Amino acid sequence: PKTDVQASYNLMFFGTVVTALVAFILLFVWRNFYGVLHRNFVFATGIYGLAAVVDAASEPALAILLLNFDYDLNARADALALTFRNISLFILCHFELADALLSHAIAQLVLSLTLFYMNYSAARAKSTIKFLPAKPYINKDLWTTAKNLSLISFLKHLLGEAEKFLLINSGAKDLDAQTAQYSIISNLGSIIPRFLFAPIEQIGYNLFAKLRSDSKNNEAISFLGQILRLTNILGFLMIIFGVVYSRSALMFLYGERWAGDATVEGLRVYCGYVFIMGVNGISEAFLYATIPKDKLPLLNVLVITKSILYIALCLLLLPYGVVGLILANICLLYTSPSPRDRQKSRMPSSA
């Protein structure tokens, strides 16, 4: 209903307020710890914080576009924003108008402002809701759901950062090399998840939610099966070609220095992880789009349990370096509950 859309839109502005508070706190903390490292550190950090706030403020308009399945407008906005960001960065660096740190911060702000303008311009043409918080305001059920989902998102973010923290504080003799290997492997190996799986999951989540609201559960399950077949094919291709051409890709992109056996082995294992991520991501989207509200507290408990298990697995496999961390992720995703468990057919899913 339109009233629910307006209430949901109002609630998303709370995220902007939280982002502003977090940005201010981090600016103060980083100023004390790292402010002396660079003459423009505080100014650049402030610009990054402002960009994050602008980014968060554009999310309500983006949500309207996604609810209307206007993914083409979203794609055009992203492409234009990235173009303006790169042009700004080139001008600032080429003509030496600012140092590297400040140039990247200004370019990020340009990207956020472009997204803000494009999203709201498109949303105004597509929706009749009021673009400032208005009645009906947030209702109790919506607030409860938002709190539960926010907690889940926060815990998932911590999980994503936990492996980096553990790796940095592992005390390994070759810590710098392992950290560099981790960055190369995760950045190169995550191309498929970022550019293929993520859009598929976003579209799937919206479609699952719409089908559920229209009481078309069978169609939602059928669509889930079709997307799973697609992600399985992409995942298998990643394994087949990734295992064979990992060394060649590293040699071509990063040179002989980073094409050693350890990095190649890590990238090959990561290719298997990509397959698991593809299946996990869309099944997780299905679960979040169709789960009843009264089951969200149980999901919170499962996510907390998963967090504890994940940290334990990381500590257990950390002696094996980057490969151990990747294996910890694979074990966790593959052994978690699945939305098809009730049908006696397991699928890997962190949900």
Side-chain angles (χ1 to χ4, degrees), residues 163 167 170 172 174-186 262-270 273 310 314 317-330:
E163 59 189 22
L167 181 61
S170 63
D174 56 344
L175 178 60
D176 291 340
Q178 287 194 21
T179 304
Q181 290 169 11
Y182 175 87
S183 299
I184 291 173
I185 292 169
S186 60
T263 312
V264 172
E265 182 182 0
L267 185 57
R268 287 171 175 170
V269 175
Y270 201 97
Y273 180 40
Y310 175 71
C314 285
L317 297 173
L318 194 57
Y320 299 95
V322 176
V323 173
L325 293 178
I326 299 172
L327 289 174
N329 281 279
I330 293 176

Side-chain angles (χ1 to χ4, degrees), residues 82 100 124 165 210 226 252 285 296 325 329:
L82 286 172
R124 283 183 178 276
F165 177 81
K210 180 174 177 58
Q226 294 174 18
F252 178 75
L296 284 174
L325 293 178
N329 281 279

Side-chain angles (χ1 to χ4, degrees), residues 283-325:
S283 58
E284 193 173 72
F286 177 83
L287 180 62
Y288 286 140
T290 59
I291 187 172
K293 294 179 182 179
D294 59 338
K295 298 296 183 182
L296 284 174
L298 175 60
L299 189 57
N300 287 339
V301 174
L302 292 175
V303 171
I304 293 173
T305 304
K306 182 182 98 169
S307 304
I308 297 172
L309 177 61
Y310 175 71
I311 293 174
L313 282 170
C314 285
L315 292 173
L316 180 65
L317 297 173
L318 194 57
Y320 299 95
V322 176
V323 173
L325 293 178

